[in-house]
Amino acid sequence: MMLASTALGRISEVMRAPVLKITDHPQDPIPDGLSGTYTPDKIDDGYYRYWSLRLPISVQFQWRVGGNKMAFSFGPEFEWRFSMKSFTYLQNNKLMVSDNLAYNPFGVNALAVLNFKSFVIFGRTGLTQLFNQDNSPIRVTPVNLGIGFSF
């Protein structure tokens, strides 16, 4: 319950973030609001957030190690991205820079997962760029690494 309330509190914080400036051109991923008054030394941090639905197609190998099941799986993963927004921190204030970004709505990733007992390690890397290369000078490849526990 505590995890859910923390997540909901964080979502409401993001939703209340003031808008810094929305770009005039829908395909321009670099907002004009960050030039001029807002110099890079005043900007603390920035990130992109988006929602996605993923469909993994993987091959799995299983074996026993000392009586415990171990598994390794890998394969491609197809992803649909939507609702992408750009945020930054300016003098410790969270600001939404833009929700009008030139991103690729569809992507292909490489996925690998290693399971041992209830411990899970996974890695995912994008095989396609996050932003549309025809409309954006930004080159970003999504990468995720993580650990987890299965029950």
Side-chain angles (χ1 to χ4, degrees), residues 99-151:
D99 62 355
N100 220 0
L101 301 167
Y103 65 94
N104 284 326
F106 299 102
V108 179
N109 304 322
L111 176 68
V113 181
L114 178 65
N115 298 30
F116 181 68
K117 292 186 179 179
S118 62
F119 186 68
V120 180
I121 299 174
F122 74 90
R124 173 185 299 117
T125 185
L127 300 176
T128 56
Q129 294 287 325
L130 189 59
F131 291 100
N132 185 329
Q133 300 305 296
D134 295 334
N135 299 319
S136 171
I138 299 175
R139 305 284 187 257
V140 177
T141 301
V143 175
N144 296 4
L145 296 173
I147 59 172
F149 299 95
S150 59
F151 301 101

Side-chain angles (χ1 to χ4, degrees), residues 48-112:
Y48 299 105
R49 187 205 66 206
Y50 62 92
W51 294 91
S52 64
L53 294 175
R54 296 181 178 130
L55 176 65
I57 300 174
S58 56
V59 175
Q60 185 177 61
F61 299 96
Q62 297 180 5
W63 61 94
R64 296 227 174 248
V65 176
N68 297 307
K69 186 173 96 172
M70 188 169 195
F72 176 72
S73 60
F74 66 93
E77 178 184 67
F78 301 97
E79 178 178 41
W80 174 45
R81 307 173 186 126
F82 53 95
S83 298
M84 180 177 275
K85 295 181 180 183
S86 174
F87 292 91
T88 190
Y89 287 96
L90 181 63
Q91 299 172 346
N92 294 325
N93 293 317
K94 184 177 188 173
L95 302 170
M96 184 178 76
V97 177
S98 180
D99 62 355
N100 220 0
L101 301 167
Y103 65 94
N104 284 326
F106 299 102
V108 179
N109 304 322
L111 176 68

Side-chain angles (χ1 to χ4, degrees), residues 9-21 31 33-34 37-49 85-98:
R10 187 81 172 127
I11 289 170
S12 65
E13 178 186 333
V14 169
M15 297 310 288
R16 288 191 309 264
V19 174
L20 181 61
K21 181 173 178 8
L34 290 181
T37 309
Y38 302 107
T39 58
D41 60 329
K42 293 181 181 178
I43 297 172
D44 299 323
D45 197 5
Y47 63 94
Y48 299 105
R49 187 205 66 206
K85 295 181 180 183
S86 174
F87 292 91
T88 190
Y89 287 96
L90 181 63
Q91 299 172 346
N92 294 325
N93 293 317
K94 184 177 188 173
L95 302 170
M96 184 178 76
V97 177
S98 180

